[in-house]
Amino acid sequence: MRANYLFTSESVSEGHPDKVCDRISDEIVDLVYREAAKTGVDPWGVRIACETLATTNRVVIAGEVRLPPSLMKLDKNGNEVINPSKFKSAARKAIRDIGYEQDGFHWKTARIDVLLHSQSAHIAQGVDKAADHSNSEGAGDQGIMFGYACRETPDLMPAPIYYAHRILQLLAAARKKGEGEAAKLGPDAKSQVTVRYVDGKPFEVTDRPVHPASR
């Protein structure tokens, strides 16, 4: 393994479309579990398998869920369906907190479609406790992630990604306070930091061109 090298990491701000969707999804999960706690519903009985999509002044929330009764309502035929109002409210609050008040994306005027429906009985059967009462449980979609901790920074993150994240955190704080040139910026931003390592340790931040293989 090389001891001297350049390593580049990039980060995107809270206003990046991917991050907006992540934030809305997080708010939805929090909403459902808050309602479960408020109404005495067993949190292990809650299911939230949904995705968020954002485009020009529009947000789509879709997927399968199993919700507390407080998030349901009766339709005109007397059938129990999902009540979209609190989901829309959670999405608008997230967009407003991020800072979107533009013609192309505004928390107040964005169209928010809630296309959630009850979880499929077949999926529920696979995810809930097994019928043989062995206390085993199934799982839905699965993925493999990897990462590592190190002593390069206070957050135990590698230096390039730590500083890329930190730049955007400081920029967002300054933007929301209306400080200096940051006040002129919108919520969407990206940072990229290249660190030169010497003897396997971060030595300096550099603006030298980085070969794609070293990213």
Side-chain angles (χ1 to χ4, degrees):
M1 182 176 178
R2 289 180 299 170
N4 303 319
Y5 55 92
L6 300 177
F7 196 96
T8 298
S9 291
E10 69 175 29
S11 179
V12 293
S13 69
E14 61 180 351
H16 187 279
D18 290 346
K19 294 298 183 183
V20 172
C21 292
D22 288 345
R23 171 66 182 277
I24 293 172
S25 295
D26 288 345
E27 294 290 345
I28 289 171
V29 172
D30 289 346
L31 165 66
V32 173
Y33 279 101
R34 278 199 309 270
E35 290 293 322
K38 191 187 305 182
T39 57
V41 172
D42 182 359
W44 289 101
V46 167
R47 297 286 181 267
I48 314 165
C50 67
E51 298 285 348
T52 303
L53 177 151
T55 186
T56 305
N57 221 33
R58 188 171 184 182
V59 172
V60 178
I61 302 167
E64 295 191 346
V65 291
R66 187 194 298 166
L67 304 175
S70 58
L71 293 173
M72 306 294 289
K73 68 175 185 177
L74 298 179
D75 65 12
K76 60 182 179 181
N77 297 317
N79 299 314
E80 192 174 48
V81 296
I82 291 165
N83 187 342
S85 62
K86 290 186 178 180
F87 294 97
K88 290 182 179 182
S89 177
R92 291 195 193 281
K93 288 178 181 177
I95 298 168
R96 181 178 60 185
D97 186 64
I98 290 169
Y100 271 115
E101 295 184 336
Q102 306 171 4
D103 290 339
F105 199 62
H106 196 297
W107 66 269
K108 190 179 294 184
T109 61
R111 174 179 170 182
I112 300 176
D113 296 323
V114 178
L115 306 178
L116 298 172
H117 59 86
S118 297
Q119 185 182 53
S120 161
H122 297 292
I123 293 178
Q125 185 179 25
V127 175
D128 290 345
K129 289 186 176 181
D132 61 4
H133 304 293
S134 64
N135 291 324
S136 61
E137 294 193 18
D141 295 338
Q142 300 181 53
I144 298 175
M145 278 67 77
F146 72 94
Y148 63 93
C150 62
R151 293 191 174 91
E152 293 178 8
T153 63
D155 286 356
L156 305 181
M157 297 284 286
I161 191 64
Y162 172 84
Y163 290 113
H165 286 337
R166 189 68 182 136
I167 287 170
L168 292 181
Q169 290 169 352
L170 294 172
L171 185 63
R175 172 176 57 83
K176 291 179 178 180
K177 290 179 181 178
E179 296 177 349
E181 294 297 308
K184 302 176 183 178
L185 300 177
D188 193 1
K190 179 181 287 188
S191 68
Q192 180 173 290
V193 173
T194 299
V195 175
R196 183 160 72 95
Y197 282 75
V198 176
D199 293 330
K201 297 180 180 180
F203 181 76
E204 64 176 354
V205 174
T206 177
D207 59 358
R208 288 178 54 188
V210 180
H211 189 278
S214 65
R215 294 191 177 196

